[in-house]
Amino acid sequence: MAAAAAGVGKTRLARETLSSAPRRGAQNRRIPATASARALPLGAFAGVLNVTGQNRSRVMQRAPSALVDGAGSAGVVVAVDDAHLLDDLSP
């Protein structure tokens, strides 16, 4: 996890890291954490998990496999932008 002042390039560094994942055969998942998504359990992951409107236990059951869906032997690189904005369930 990178921690530094706003505007020093943390998001760019994350994007560059993610862009190298496919060259190594890995899938990438960019998770943009936001204050508004924080109100929902795993809200920042809604786009990746694709289980919006599901109950909390269903989301928890689906989360691990959703993050690795389509990944080959090289795995998955997950980058969370603004991780400090994640809800309490996400970290």
Side-chain angles (χ1 to χ4, degrees):
M1 176 183 348
V8 298
K10 298 180 300 292
T11 297
R12 181 177 169 99
L13 178 61
R15 285 185 184 143
E16 291 296 322
T17 301
L18 283 179
S19 72
S20 70
R23 291 192 298 265
R24 295 177 316 199
Q27 295 289 317
N28 64 40
R29 308 283 188 262
R30 182 177 177 274
I31 310 299
T34 63
S36 59
R38 190 174 199 177
L40 302 169
L42 299 174
F45 293 86
V48 173
L49 299 180
N50 198 23
V51 290
T52 55
Q54 304 274 342
N55 66 39
R56 187 175 179 161
S57 65
R58 173 71 177 127
V59 171
M60 292 302 296
Q61 289 171 346
R62 177 79 178 113
S65 63
L67 282 174
V68 298
D69 278 352
S73 60
V76 175
V77 176
V78 178
V80 178
D81 198 7
D82 290 323
H84 64 284
L85 296 176
L86 290 172
D87 62 279
D88 291 338
L89 186 60
S90 294

